[in-house]
Amino acid sequence: MKTLSRIFRQNAQTSIIILALVGIWLIFTVLAAVMKDVNFLSPQNISNIFRQMTITAIMATGMVFVIVTGGIDLSVGKLAGFVSTVVAYNQAYRFTDNPAVAAMASVVIGLAVGLLWGGLQGYIISYLRVPAFIVTLGSMFILGGLTLLQTEGQTITATQPYFREIGQGYLNPILGWLLAAIVTAAIFFLMFRDRRNKQKYGFPLPALQADIIKSTLFAALLWGYVFVVNQYNGVQVPVLLLGIVAVIMTYVSNNTRFGRYTYAIGGNREAARLSGINIRQTLFLVFVLMGFLSGLAGIMLASYVGYGTIGAGSGYELDVIAAAILGGTSTLGGVGTIPGALIGALIMASLNTGLQILDVAPAWQGIAKGIVLILAVLLDVYFKKDKT
Amino acid sequence: MTDEYILEFQNVTKQFPGVTALDDVSFKVKRGEIHGLCGENGAGKSTLMKILSGVYPYGTYDGTVIYNGQELKLQASAIHQATEKGIAIVYQELTLVPHMTVGENIFLGSEPTEHGSINWAQLYSETQTLLDKYKLDVHPQALVKNLGVGKMQMTEIAKALSEEAQVLILDEPTSALSEAEINKLMEILRTLKSHGVTCIYISHKMQEFFRICDNVTVLRDGKWVTTQPTSQLSPEKLVRYMVGREMKERFPQGNRRPGEIIFEVKDLHAEKADRAVLNGVSFDLRKGEILGIAGLMGSGRTELVMTIFGEFGKITQGDIRLEGRPIKSNNSHHAMEHGISLVPEDRKRHGLVLIQSILKNISLPNLDRFARLMRIDQNAEVAESLRIAKELTIKAPNLYVPVETLSGGNQQKVVISKWLLSGPKILIMDDPTRGIDVGAKFEIYKLMNDLAEQGIAIIMISSELEEVLGMSDRVMVMWQGRSNGILNTSEATQEKIMTLATGLA
C-alpha cells in the first residue's frame, strides 16, 4: 500500500487521469445497465471506443509536441478533413481501375498533402514569425474553403476494397494473439537489454522484481485487450496503426535530440537558444510532424466513414487539444507526455460513445465534455497548489 | 505609543516537510533604524520575510512576531493585510507592469477615483508629491519599460511607500544595480530613515551593511547567530558569523600560469537594430588566464560577450581570432563548435530550463555528443552528467530533481556544468557569482582556478570590483562600448578601475 501511495504521489497527473478514465467507465457501465439495459463494457462497445479514439489520438500525439513548445494548432481538424476529401476524390475519380494502386496512391497523396501543409504553416510560424494561433486560425478558414472547392458541396464516396481496411479492418484473431506474443517478447527483451546496458555503466539497477512486475503488467493489459476485442472482430487495423504511431512518438519525445529540444524550448526558449539549439528549425519540424499526423488522420477518417464531405473533420481540433490537455500537457509549455494524450483521447472517445448510448442529446454531450475538461484541469491545479 | 522596538521575533520556528527553515529565531528591530539581515542562501532570510509579508500566514509557524507592541496575526490568502498594517516589501525580482506608467504602477489597485472613473490628475500629482517627499528622481508619466533598473527600483520603493509603510523590507536591492545606482539607493535609504521609516536590508554584499545599516542580524542554517551594531563589526567578522568558520581569504589562491595567446579581439564594432553597441574593443586572452571585465551597467560588457558568442549584435568592423584564425559565430551553436562556452548573466532566464531535471539541463547543449544517428545514448548521457556533477560537487538527492528546487549556488553549478561538459577552450562567465552566498562563491572561485590551471581561458564579467581584482590576472575596463584600458591585477586598484570605467581616463 505504501509503495502504491508513493507511486500515486509521484505521478499525480497520470494517476488522476487513469482514475478519471476508470471512473467514467464505471459511471457509464452502471448508467447504461440501469437506464438502457446495455453492457457498456461489452467486447463490441470496447472495440468501438478504441477504434473511435484513433483519429483524435493520432493527432493528439502531435499536438503534445505543438503545445509543449508553447504553440497551438487550430487547423488540425480541418486539415484532416481536407485530406479526407482529397483522398476520397482520388478514390472516386482518379484511380478507379486498380484498388491496390488506389489505396497506395491515396495514402501517399494524403500524407504528402498533410506534410506540405504542415511545412507551409511551420515555415510561416517559425521563419516568418507569425504567431501560431493566428497562422493556424487563418489556415482553418482556408482549409474550409479548399474542402468546399474539392467536394463542390457533394459527398464523395471512398469505399474501394483495400483502402477500406485502413479505417475499418480487423486482424484475424490468431494474428492478434501472435502480435501480442511478439510485443510481449519485445517488452521483456528491451527490459533485459536496458538492465544489461545499465550494468555495463555500473549504474545501480532497479529491483529485478519491480522491472518484471512492470513489464508483466504491461503485457497483461495487452493480452487482456486482445482477448476482449477478439471476442468481437479482432484487433482493429486503425488501433494497430495508432499503436505504432504512439511507440514512435514516445521514442521521439524521450530518446531523440529533436524531442529533447522541443521540451527545452517550451521550458525556457532563451536558455534553449543559448544552448545552441536551432529554435526555428525545431519549431518548423514540430509543425511538419503535426501536418504529417493530420494527413494520416485524414486518410483514416476517409477510410473509416467511407466518404469525403464538406463537414469532414469539423471540430476535431477541439477534441485533439482537449485530449492533449487532459493528458497533462501544460498550455504554458515544457510539459506533456504521449501516453497521457492517449488516455486523454480515450476519455474523449469514451464520453462520446457513452453519452450516445445513453441517448443524451448532442447539446448535452458538448456540455458534459466541456465540464470534464475543466474539471480535470481544476483537479490538476488543485493538486499542484497542494504540493507547495 | 513609542516603543523602542517596532518589530520583535520571539522563538520563531518554521518547518517544511523534511527541512527546518527557521529554528527558534529571536531578535528585535529598533524603530527607525536600518537593520541589515545577512546569511548564506538557505539561511532563512527569505522565510523570515515571507512570514512578515503574510505569504506564510499566522498559524503556519511557531513562535510570535510582535509588531508595534501587538502580536502580528496575518491571515492566509490576504497578502494585502501586511501592506495595510504598514509592512512593505521590495522584492529582488521587480514586480512592475512594464506597459504602464510610473504613476499607474504606484497606484495599481488603489487608484484615486471620481464617480467610478480614475482621476488621472490626482493620481499623477500624488505620485509627484510622493516622489518629491523621498527625493526619488523618476518621472511620474514615464513608461516603466523605458526605465533603467535603478529607476524601476525607485518606482518599486515609491509603490511600497505609497501605503504609508512603517517597515520597508528590501530583498537584495543592489544585485542588479551599478555603482552609481547603488550610491543613489543609499541616499534614498537615508532619506527614508530621516522620515522615520524602518528598513530591513537584505544583501549579499558585505560593504553595504557598513555603509548604511545601524544593526546587523546574522542567520545561519535557519538559526539566529547574532545581532550587533555595525560599529562593532568588521566585514571579516561578519563573514565568520555567516559561514561559521574562519574564512582567511575570500579568494582562493590559485596556481595559474597563463600560456600562449589563444584568443584575440581586434577593434570590434557591432550594432544592434542600427544602434551602435560596441565601438572598438580590443583584447587578447591567454591559455589558462582569467581576464576580468569591469565596467558600469550599460558599458557594453554583456553585449561584448554575447556578440562574441554570436547571439547579439551584428559585427560591423574588426575581427575575432581563435588560435590565430579568424572565426565568425552567427549563433551559439557555431560558438560552441569553435570551443567557446558562455555562462549567462541571468541563470534563471538564460541559463536553465527550471522545470527540467539537473540531467536534462546539463546534457542539453551536449546532446550531439551522446546521439548516435537519431538515438540519444541515455546511459552515456547519465554517466557523463554524473561525472561533471560530482566534479563540481552539485548538492542534490539525484540528477532527476528539477533545478528549480536547488539553491542559487547549486543552480549556478548546474549552469557551469552544462557549459563545461562541451569541453570549451574559452569559457565566458557573465557575473558568475551574482546572487549566491559567500560559501558557494568561494567554491565557484576555486573551480575557476582549477579550470584555468587545466588550460581553459576564462573571461569573467563582474560587477564587484573586489571580485575582479581578487580573481583576475588582468582586468579590461569598458566604457561606452569600448575597451578603455587593460590593467595587470598587480597594478590595478579599485580607484584606477573606476577612473577608467567612468571615462575619466
Side-chain angles (χ1 to χ4, degrees):
Chain A
M1 258 349 262
K2 222 173 175 180
T3 42
L4 257 183
S5 90
R6 204 194 65 225
I7 290 169
F8 178 84
R9 268 183 286 114
Q10 276 174 350
N11 306 292
Q13 195 133 34
T14 326
S15 312
I16 289 170
I17 188 172
I18 291 175
L19 285 179
L21 177 67
V22 173
I24 286 168
W25 279 14
L26 272 176
I27 293 170
F28 278 131
T29 307
V30 172
L31 288 182
V34 173
M35 291 166 64
K36 300 281 166 191
D37 199 20
V38 172
N39 180 8
F40 181 77
L41 295 179
S42 72
Q44 181 184 359
N45 203 34
I46 288 190
S47 175
N48 277 340
I49 290 175
F50 275 88
R51 197 183 57 182
Q52 279 192 4
M53 79 177 262
T54 51
I55 292 169
T56 310
I58 280 186
M59 289 193 280
T61 60
M63 192 60 81
V64 169
F65 276 58
V66 173
I67 299 181
V68 158
T69 63
I72 191 75
D73 190 342
L74 300 171
S75 72
V76 292
K78 284 275 184 232
L79 178 54
F82 175 62
V83 168
S84 81
T85 59
V86 169
V87 165
Y89 181 85
N90 280 297
Q91 290 274 311
Y93 305 119
R94 304 226 356 228
F95 304 98
T96 43
D97 14 302
N98 187 336
V101 173
M104 297 257 273
S106 300
V107 170
V108 171
I109 290 170
L111 292 179
V113 170
L115 211 56
L116 281 175
W117 196 266
L120 186 64
Q121 288 199 136
Y123 182 78
I124 297 173
I125 291 164
S126 57
Y127 291 96
L128 305 183
R129 302 192 194 191
V130 184
F133 186 92
I134 292 160
V135 173
T136 58
L137 182 68
S139 160
M140 200 173 154
F141 285 115
I142 296 169
L143 287 162
L146 289 177
T147 307
L148 198 57
L149 286 177
Q150 177 70 58
T151 57
E152 294 173 332
Q154 310 290 314
T155 296
I156 311 170
T157 37
T159 46
Q160 294 199 40
Y162 295 104
F163 181 69
R164 210 174 49 197
E165 298 297 317
I166 297 172
Q168 302 184 17
Y170 295 93
L171 296 186
N172 179 298
I174 296 169
L175 220 55
W177 288 121
L178 196 65
L179 193 69
I182 292 170
V183 174
T184 306
I187 290 171
F188 278 91
F189 170 74
L190 289 174
M191 181 197 90
F192 282 112
R193 199 186 62 171
D194 184 46
R195 290 182 71 88
R196 209 178 50 229
N197 282 338
K198 278 201 176 124
Q199 215 159 22
K200 238 187 281 174
Y201 276 89
F203 294 152
L205 289 174
L208 183 62
Q209 286 157 306
D211 264 358
I212 288 180
I213 290 174
K214 236 174 19 187
S215 302
T216 310
L217 201 71
F218 200 78
L221 275 177
L222 181 68
W223 287 83
Y225 178 76
V226 173
F227 175 75
V228 171
V229 294
N230 269 354
Q231 287 180 16
Y232 182 56
N233 280 340
V235 174
Q236 315 89 317
V237 174
V239 173
L240 176 62
L241 284 174
L242 170 62
I244 295 169
V245 168
V247 168
I248 293 173
M249 291 295 283
T250 307
Y251 184 84
V252 168
S253 75
N254 294 329
N255 300 39
T256 67
R257 275 171 286 180
F258 168 66
R260 291 288 189 84
Y261 292 167
T262 306
Y263 283 82
I265 289 171
N268 184 345
R269 185 180 288 226
E270 281 303 295
R273 186 170 61 86
L274 290 176
S275 298
I277 293 171
N278 190 333
I279 308 264
R280 292 185 186 184
Q281 185 189 316
T282 309
L283 288 183
F284 172 72
L285 288 176
V286 165
F287 279 93
V288 169
L289 182 63
M290 185 71 248
F292 177 81
L293 292 168
S294 303
L296 179 58
I299 294 166
M300 288 168 68
L301 178 65
S303 166
Y304 177 47
V305 296
Y307 51 79
T309 173
I310 332 167
S314 280
Y316 279 31
E317 63 279 350
L318 304 179
D319 277 21
V320 170
I321 293 168
I325 289 175
L326 275 178
T329 310
S330 163
T331 48
L332 299 176
V335 179
T337 66
I338 302 298
L342 293 183
I343 301 174
L346 188 54
I347 288 183
M348 296 306 283
S350 305
L351 283 173
N352 282 335
T353 311
L355 294 167
Q356 270 162 25
I357 289 177
L358 297 177
D359 273 335
V360 174
W364 288 100
Q365 292 185 22
I367 291 171
K369 275 156 72 173
I371 290 174
V372 168
L373 176 65
I374 294 172
L375 213 60
V377 177
L378 189 72
L379 273 179
D380 183 46
V381 170
Y382 174 78
F383 270 88
K384 285 224 175 89
K385 201 174 84 183
D386 210 41
K387 214 168 50 181
T388 49
Chain B
M1 184 190 68
T2 46
D3 282 344
E4 192 189 351
Y5 297 104
I6 189 168
L7 201 58
E8 210 177 321
F9 296 92
Q10 294 173 346
N11 312 98
V12 175
T13 298
K14 168 77 186 169
Q15 292 191 314
F16 293 105
V19 197
T20 307
L22 286 177
D23 189 358
D24 201 24
V25 170
S26 307
F27 68 94
K28 298 174 185 176
V29 178
K30 278 187 190 147
R31 187 177 300 277
E33 72 164 336
I34 300 180
H35 193 106
L37 186 59
C38 74
E40 295 187 279
N41 284 344
K45 305 178 304 260
S46 313
T47 314
L48 203 59
M49 293 310 112
K50 281 178 179 166
I51 286 175
L52 271 187
S53 64
V55 174
Y56 301 136
Y58 177 73
T60 61
Y61 54 89
D62 301 319
T64 39
V65 181
I66 307 285
Y67 172 65
N68 271 334
Q70 286 181 333
E71 189 173 1
L72 188 70
K73 292 181 178 175
L74 297 170
Q75 261 129 47
S77 64
I79 306 274
H80 213 66
Q81 270 189 343
T83 329
E84 279 162 11
K85 286 182 189 290
I87 303 174
I89 298 198
V90 176
Y91 289 102
Q92 192 176 356
E93 274 101 22
L94 301 178
T95 55
L96 300 170
V97 185
H99 291 279
M100 288 187 170
T101 64
V102 170
E104 283 176 281
N105 267 290
I106 290 175
F107 283 96
L108 192 63
S110 56
E111 295 85 353
T113 55
E114 195 175 15
H115 312 305
S117 59
I118 296 174
N119 185 338
W120 292 105
Q122 191 190 343
L123 187 146
Y124 284 117
S125 82
E126 279 185 22
T127 304
Q128 191 64 61
T129 316
L130 184 72
L131 294 173
D132 289 346
K133 180 176 170 191
Y134 298 111
K135 301 199 177 104
L136 299 169
D137 178 26
V138 202
H139 194 282
Q141 301 201 12
L143 276 181
V144 164
K145 70 178 168 105
N146 296 334
L147 299 178
V149 194
K151 299 222 162 175
M152 282 194 197
Q153 196 153 46
M154 287 186 197
T155 311
E156 193 86 55
I157 292 173
K159 184 178 171 182
L161 293 171
S162 69
E163 309 248 1
E164 297 297 321
Q166 297 179 45
V167 176
L168 180 69
I169 301 162
L170 295 138
D171 189 2
E172 281 190 54
T174 59
S175 59
L177 298 191
S178 66
E179 288 289 327
E181 286 168 325
I182 292 174
N183 289 338
K184 180 76 194 158
L185 179 74
M186 297 294 154
E187 258 176 61
I188 293 169
L189 290 179
R190 285 188 197 105
T191 313
L192 291 180
K193 193 178 164 185
S194 69
H195 280 85
V197 178
T198 311
C199 285
I200 296 180
Y201 190 91
I202 302 174
S203 181
H204 276 308
K205 298 185 188 167
M206 295 297 115
Q207 327 84 291
E208 290 173 4
F209 293 119
F210 294 95
R211 286 177 66 179
I212 194 82
C213 295
D214 303 296
N215 287 293
V216 179
T217 292
V218 182
L219 297 179
R220 188 201 316 145
D221 300 330
K223 293 189 186 71
W224 174 82
V225 179
T226 183
T227 301
Q228 287 186 30
T230 29
S231 53
Q232 294 175 14
L233 285 164
S234 67
E236 291 72 30
K237 254 171 127 176
L238 205 52
V239 170
R240 210 153 57 223
Y241 281 127
M242 280 171 67
V243 297
R245 60 181 179 270
E246 193 80 28
M247 196 100 125
K248 287 221 175 61
E249 39 180 20
R250 278 183 58 198
F251 303 102
Q253 214 51 55
N255 187 23
R256 301 192 297 267
R257 278 191 221 88
E260 72 272 24
I261 291 176
I262 181 173
F263 188 70
E264 291 160 281
V265 170
K266 276 199 195 114
D267 195 28
L268 193 69
H269 287 65
E271 59 176 36
K272 178 158 190 173
D274 291 331
R275 196 174 59 89
V277 286
L278 296 178
N279 309 306
V281 178
S282 303
F283 67 91
D284 54 39
L285 181 68
R286 294 167 184 278
K287 259 184 140 162
E289 178 185 41
I290 299 178
L291 174 72
I293 300 184
L296 301 175
M297 282 268 163
S299 61
R301 300 173 309 179
T302 297
E303 289 81 355
L304 169 67
V305 293
M306 285 302 236
T307 302
I308 293 173
F309 200 52
E311 288 287 348
F312 194 73
K314 203 175 101 211
I315 295 173
T316 49
Q317 194 187 321
D319 65 353
I320 302 173
R321 283 167 188 270
L322 179 69
E323 292 167 332
R325 286 189 312 274
I327 58 162
K328 198 168 173 326
S329 306
N330 289 326
N331 55 46
S332 51
H333 194 76
H334 289 163
M336 286 164 64
E337 279 175 351
H338 292 308
I340 301 174
S341 278
L342 183 139
V343 174
E345 182 182 15
D346 188 334
R347 65 177 166 269
K348 286 185 180 168
R349 271 178 57 204
H350 298 142
L352 298 167
V353 184
L354 287 169
I355 53 171
Q356 289 192 344
S357 64
I358 299 176
L359 173 70
K360 284 189 176 169
N361 271 285
I362 292 180
S363 63
L364 186 61
N366 306 298
L367 287 178
D368 285 349
R369 282 179 51 181
F370 305 123
R372 316 256 172 288
L373 290 171
M374 288 281 283
R375 195 178 80 90
I376 295 170
D377 182 344
Q378 298 194 357
N379 287 323
E381 181 192 0
V382 173
E384 281 289 284
S385 306
L386 207 56
R387 180 182 63 75
I388 196 98
K390 272 197 185 130
E391 202 178 304
L392 269 69
T393 61
I394 295 173
K395 287 188 203 90
N398 57 53
L399 285 182
Y400 303 97
V401 297
V403 290
E404 62 189 347
T405 60
L406 303 180
S407 69
N410 277 311
Q411 284 184 353
Q412 188 69 348
K413 285 184 189 171
V414 174
V415 182
I416 298 175
S417 301
K418 87 184 227 190
W419 289 112
L420 271 186
L421 197 51
S422 63
K425 295 175 190 154
I426 316 275
L427 180 65
I428 302 171
M429 303 175 100
D430 194 349
D431 222 347
T433 63
R434 177 172 152 183
I436 63 180
D437 59 58
V438 180
K441 275 185 184 179
F442 193 79
E443 286 187 55
I444 303 261
Y445 296 144
K446 266 204 316 219
L447 178 71
M448 288 170 68
N449 273 335
D450 289 347
L451 296 174
E453 279 164 29
Q454 288 163 27
I456 296 175
I458 297 176
I459 299 175
M460 176 189 69
I461 294 182
S462 176
S463 301
E464 287 180 58
L465 291 178
E466 285 180 33
E467 182 176 89
V468 175
L469 288 170
M471 283 309 297
S472 318
D473 295 299
R474 290 181 301 152
V475 182
M476 174 169 81
V477 187
M478 288 192 69
W479 173 66
Q480 292 194 345
R482 60 189 68 132
S483 42
N484 204 26
I486 297 180
L487 305 167
N488 281 319
T489 312
S490 48
E491 50 168 1
T493 60
Q494 300 204 13
E495 289 71 28
K496 277 187 187 165
I497 292 176
M498 282 318 286
T499 315
L500 289 169
T502 46
L504 295 174

